[in-house]
């Protein structure tokens, strides 16, 4: 839950900074927050960071549409708990 809180906080802050919110600015905030999110995971390897970026784009889109941190954190927890 802490990882998604940080990613959602960065994305939400970038959304609030934008004076005139548009779809393009929403995608810009999703991509910038996910670059930060992926860079935090670089110590685990470049492939893991890339996969974190891809998952972050999905969760970022979910946060943009739902405007709910709890929905994103629950989806992340459910994905981690999925059988392998």
């Amino acid at each position: 839950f802490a990882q998604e809180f940080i990613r959602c906080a960065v994305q939400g802050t970038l959304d609030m900074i934008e004076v005139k919110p548009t779809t393009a600015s929403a995608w810009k905030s999703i991509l910038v927050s996910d670059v930060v999110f992926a860079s935090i995971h670089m110590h685990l390897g470049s492939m893991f960071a890339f996969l974190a970026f891809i998952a972050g784009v999905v969760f970022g889109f979910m946060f943009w549409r739902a405007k709910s941190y709890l929905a994103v954190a629950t989806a992340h927890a459910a994905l981690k708990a999925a059988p392998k």
Side-chain angles (χ1 to χ4, degrees):
F1 284 86
Q3 291 177 357
E4 287 304 323
F5 180 77
I6 293 168
R7 199 197 51 69
C8 289
V10 171
Q11 181 180 340
T13 302
L14 291 171
D15 279 341
M16 290 188 318
I17 290 172
E18 190 66 40
V19 176
K20 182 180 170 192
T22 62
T23 302
S25 68
W27 277 107
K28 185 172 32 172
S29 66
I30 290 170
L31 293 176
V32 169
S33 66
D34 289 333
V35 165
V36 171
F37 184 68
S39 68
I40 292 170
H41 290 85
M42 277 301 289
H43 71 283
L44 298 171
S46 57
M47 186 59 155
F48 190 87
F50 174 73
L51 293 174
F53 177 79
I54 298 300
V57 170
V58 173
F59 292 136
F61 179 75
M62 183 184 297
F63 179 69
W64 174 53
R65 298 294 294 173
K67 298 291 187 224
S68 170
Y69 155 74
L70 203 53
V72 175
T74 304
H76 190 172
L79 182 65
K80 279 191 162 188
K84 295 177 170 86

